[in-house]
């Protein structure tokens, strides 16, 4: 069995510490997922925070620590470099990692702060011949992959409704340089999974499947009209006449859910649940059909969202599989978000 060396750049929540969250399905961080795969050897951790580095080294004494990518590259040439830094550092860290020409870069979502920066990452990856896996984690999860396959059983897809609920401001133009707003931070997951489901219906570039944006229900912060707290974006598609994205940044809870309704069935999936429905003879009305739970669908207790991502990386390097989440699919999601932001700016004038 071939073993691949790996380095993680950014030892914050998604990079490392979420691996200690007892409520989350584990592994829940890059470090823990890499260490849990027998085909990967974690050789280095990189972070600019010296206290975090010291704590990481204490917990992982066999893994070398460095305060910069350049310092790490003087000692190692990892097969895999994970970029798990904050959004405002994605571009610089990704470009430095790509320039080292590892066999694979795993890039945390979103790809970048905007399409302009994403284009620079794409150009660098092409120039250096470095493939990039983007960690839009739901693409790797058993429940969402089962949902995508199940769409073939629900007839013609009539409507897709995706909803995000968060207490973090949805969009603030003043936060463009930091990326500290939910439309980018969480909305990238919502848009990407809708595109993923559309891809399951027909293998075409998913971005081209969304058209005719209509923005409705925009709710702005009463104290600062530039800050958006809630919106609903409607699209149409040749594969689905109605695609609705509802996002709230004024909820006092976090929620994520997608509802797909077909002519003969339905899929409802979100954080902690997945329900599949088929057209059955109705128990309520003679001569009618209703939707009933499809008990034949049995999901594993764990979604495997993080461990499956690392395994996909290994399978790709072994030449056994294509990447489930690519730089281009990540850019597709970012393009939708930028279109929504542009519409918000026009609506504000």
């Amino acid at each position: 069995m071939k073993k691949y060396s790996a380095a993680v750049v950014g030892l914050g929540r998604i990079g490392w510490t979420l691996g200690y969250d007892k409520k989350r399905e584990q592994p829940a961080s890059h470090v823990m997922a890499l260490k849990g795969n027998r085909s990967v050897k974690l050789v280095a951790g990189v972070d600019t925070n010296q206290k975090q580095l010291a704590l990481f080294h204490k917990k992982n004494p066999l893994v070398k620590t460095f305060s910069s990518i350049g310092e790490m590259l003087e000692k190692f040439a990892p097969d895999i470099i994970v970029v798990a830094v904050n959004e405002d550092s994605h571009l610089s860290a990704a470009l430095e990692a790509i320039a080292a020409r590892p066999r694979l870069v795993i890039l945390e979502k979103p790809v970048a702060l905007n399409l302009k920066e994403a284009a620079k990452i794409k150009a660098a990856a092409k120039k250096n011949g470095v493939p990039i896996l983007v960690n839009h984690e739901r693409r790797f999860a058993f429940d969402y992959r089962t949902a995508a396959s199940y769409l073939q059983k629900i007839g013609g897809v009539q409507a897709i409704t995706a909803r995000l609920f968060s207490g973090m401001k949805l969009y603030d133009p003043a936060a463009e340089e930091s990326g500290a707003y939910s439309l980018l931070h969480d909305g990238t997951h919502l848009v990407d999974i809708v595109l993923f489901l559309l891809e399951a219906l027909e293998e075409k570039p998913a971005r081209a499947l969304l058209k005719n944006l209509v923005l409705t229900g925009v709710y702005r912060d009463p104290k600062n009209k530039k800050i958006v707290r809630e919106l609903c974006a409607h699209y149409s598609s040749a594969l689905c006449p109605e695609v609705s994205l509802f996002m709230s940044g004024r909820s006092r809870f976090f929620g994520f859910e997608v509802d797909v309704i077909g002519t003969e069935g339905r899929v409802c999936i979100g954080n902690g649940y997945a329900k599949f429905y088929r057209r059955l003879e109705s128990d309520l009305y003679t001569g009618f059909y209703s939707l009933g739970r499809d008990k034949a669908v049995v999901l594993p207790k764990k979604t495997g969202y993080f461990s499956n991502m690392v395994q996909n990386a290994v399978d790709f390097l072994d030449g056994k599989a294509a990447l489930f989440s690519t730089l281009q699919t990540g850019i597709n999601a970012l393009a939708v978000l930028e279109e929504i932001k542009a519409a918000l700016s026009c609506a504000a004038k």
Side-chain angles (χ1 to χ4, degrees), residues 303-314:
T303 70
Y305 69 102
F306 234 119
S307 55
N308 287 350
M309 183 275 289
V310 171
Q311 188 59 50
N312 180 229
V314 169

Side-chain angles (χ1 to χ4, degrees), residues 8 10-11 16 44-60 63-68 71:
V8 175
L11 301 175
W16 175 44
V46 181
D47 203 287
T48 57
N49 186 315
Q50 295 303 310
K51 289 184 178 180
Q52 191 74 350
L53 273 184
L55 181 60
F56 176 81
H57 186 62
K58 183 178 180 180
K59 296 283 188 178
N60 302 275
V63 181
K64 301 296 183 181
T65 56
F66 305 91
S67 58
S68 71
E71 183 183 355

Side-chain angles (χ1 to χ4, degrees), residues 268-317:
C268 302
I269 186 168
N271 288 351
Y273 70 92
K275 301 177 182 179
F276 303 85
Y277 299 88
R278 294 290 298 276
R279 173 180 176 270
L280 302 171
E281 188 172 340
S282 178
D283 292 332
L284 303 174
Y285 313 104
T286 301
F288 283 80
Y289 287 84
S290 300
L291 293 182
R293 290 286 294 272
D294 190 340
K295 297 180 181 179
V297 180
V298 179
L299 295 172
K301 292 183 178 180
K302 284 192 172 186
T303 70
Y305 69 102
F306 234 119
S307 55
N308 287 350
M309 183 275 289
V310 171
Q311 188 59 50
N312 180 229
V314 169
D315 290 342
F316 171 77
L317 292 175

Side-chain angles (χ1 to χ4, degrees), residues 27-310:
S29 68
H30 289 282
V31 166
M32 302 308 195
L34 290 167
K35 291 180 67 175
N37 192 294
R38 292 186 301 170
S39 295
V40 178
K41 180 180 181 181
L42 183 63
V43 297
V46 181
D47 203 287
T48 57
N49 186 315
Q50 295 303 310
K51 289 184 178 180
Q52 191 74 350
L53 273 184
L55 181 60
F56 176 81
H57 186 62
K58 183 178 180 180
K59 296 283 188 178
N60 302 275
L62 299 180
V63 181
K64 301 296 183 181
T65 56
F66 305 91
S67 58
S68 71
I69 298 176
E71 183 183 355
M72 181 271 292
L73 291 173
E74 291 178 0
K75 300 291 184 180
F76 293 104
D79 296 308
I80 302 169
I81 299 181
V82 176
V83 176
V85 297
N86 291 337
E87 287 90 344
D88 55 354
S89 299
H90 268 216
L91 177 61
S92 58
L95 291 181
E96 193 169 0
I98 291 168
R101 295 186 176 180
R103 298 186 63 177
L104 179 69
V105 166
I106 297 177
L107 180 61
E108 252 307 310
K109 64 78 198 171
V111 170
L113 286 174
N114 51 58
L115 284 174
K116 185 177 180 180
E117 291 191 358
K120 293 180 180 179
I121 294 174
K122 183 177 180 179
K126 182 178 180 179
K127 177 182 177 181
N128 289 281
V130 177
I132 296 180
L133 183 159
V134 176
N135 188 33
H136 274 120
E137 59 192 38
R138 288 171 179 81
R139 284 181 177 255
F140 304 94
F142 287 126
D143 50 355
Y144 281 94
R145 296 191 69 81
T146 300
S149 298
Y150 197 81
L151 296 186
Q152 303 298 328
K153 300 180 180 181
I154 67 172
V157 175
Q158 301 176 99
I160 298 176
T161 303
R163 304 181 187 90
L164 168 68
F165 304 92
S166 170
M168 183 182 187
K169 57 189 176 185
L170 189 60
Y171 177 60
D172 182 359
E176 281 284 3
E177 293 186 1
S178 67
Y181 56 92
S182 188
L183 182 65
L184 182 68
H185 188 72
D186 302 306
T188 184
H189 279 305
L190 195 73
V191 170
D192 179 71
I193 205 60
V194 168
L195 297 181
F196 172 65
L197 294 174
L198 287 172
E199 289 167 14
L201 295 174
E202 189 171 66
E203 293 183 4
K204 289 184 178 180
R207 172 67 188 95
L209 298 177
L210 291 180
K211 58 183 181 179
N212 303 325
L213 169 63
V214 176
L215 205 58
T216 63
V218 177
Y219 178 86
R220 297 179 182 273
D221 194 305
K223 296 181 181 180
N224 185 344
K225 296 298 183 182
K226 292 183 179 180
I227 297 176
V228 177
R229 289 289 181 178
E230 184 176 295
L231 66 81
C232 191
H234 298 273
Y235 284 93
S236 62
S237 164
L239 300 173
C240 178
E242 175 64 29
V243 178
S244 300
L245 306 173
F246 174 81
M247 304 185 206
S248 170
R250 63 186 186 117
S251 302
R252 297 181 66 185
F253 62 93
F254 183 78
F256 187 105
E257 60 187 31
V258 182
D259 187 1
V260 185
I261 300 177
T263 55
E264 298 183 26
R266 184 176 188 175
V267 175
C268 302
I269 186 168
N271 288 351
Y273 70 92
K275 301 177 182 179
F276 303 85
Y277 299 88
R278 294 290 298 276
R279 173 180 176 270
L280 302 171
E281 188 172 340
S282 178
D283 292 332
L284 303 174
Y285 313 104
T286 301
F288 283 80
Y289 287 84
S290 300
L291 293 182
R293 290 286 294 272
D294 190 340
K295 297 180 181 179
V297 180
V298 179
L299 295 172
K301 292 183 178 180
K302 284 192 172 186
T303 70
Y305 69 102
F306 234 119
S307 55
N308 287 350
M309 183 275 289
V310 171

